Amino acid sequence: MSNIKTIFVAFASALLAGCSLGSDNHDQPSNDGSRASQPDAQHEFVEKVNGYLANAKRSGATSEQIAILEQAEASAEVSIEDYEASVDATLDCLHESGADALDNGMIESEGLSIRQYGVPVSAEESHPRAIGDGVTIHRCVAEHSYWIEIAYQLQPSSREVRQEYREGFREELLECYSSRGFEVDEHGDITELMELGMYAYESDTIDANCLAEIGY
């Protein structure tokens, strides 16, 4: 199957990767350089979901997607059951529309369970739905799961899973930086350390992509 847009990549946590439908903006550090506390993270997430709700309504989301987002706003959480059900609804819609959609089931991305599926570009072009200025996706994705997928992957518990996964690369990453004379705070936040290294590589400050070298 060719010319498939893989939807989960739009929300997954590939660090600093370009995405077709959205991006994963990492937690912002507090004034002392640490990540936001759990209550703060939950508050920030609820504020984001409030925005997702408004956007979902504007882009023609189903009542089911709206209801799950409202529950997420109230509980600061999207359950994996609601996440999977919303993607199932998207895939059912895609198949009913005649799209030859790809479904690879649940996979792990940075320790987080993610549903990997895809939509043929030609199908998306035939059934576009605007979700923002100059941004369109297949109407089935917009109607059934788009905003839920974002919320699921950006909720505090998902961020914690990914952060723990990244921590497993700290020692190797620091060794790679040290071998190239790239000085960083070895006790710094692991996500920020990864971002610093990627930026340094892309700006030719360091001659190696340490993330790739350590198998991240």
Side-chain angles (χ1 to χ4, degrees), residues 113-175:
S113 294
I114 298 292
R115 185 73 171 271
Q116 186 185 48
Y117 71 100
V119 181
V121 172
S122 59
E124 183 171 299
E125 291 173 345
S126 299
H127 300 275
R129 178 68 56 83
I131 56 168
D133 293 339
V135 181
T136 61
I137 58 176
H138 196 287
R139 68 164 181 83
C140 288
V141 182
E143 290 174 2
H144 296 282
S145 67
Y146 180 80
W147 303 104
I148 293 170
E149 291 184 71
I150 294 177
Y152 170 76
Q153 295 194 42
L154 296 186
Q155 64 185 334
S157 60
S158 296
R159 290 181 180 276
E160 289 174 4
V161 167
R162 297 203 307 264
Q163 191 79 349
E164 182 177 350
Y165 175 87
R166 293 168 186 161
E167 280 290 349
F169 292 89
R170 179 182 291 272
E171 184 175 343
E172 289 179 278
L173 184 66
L174 291 173
E175 288 177 358

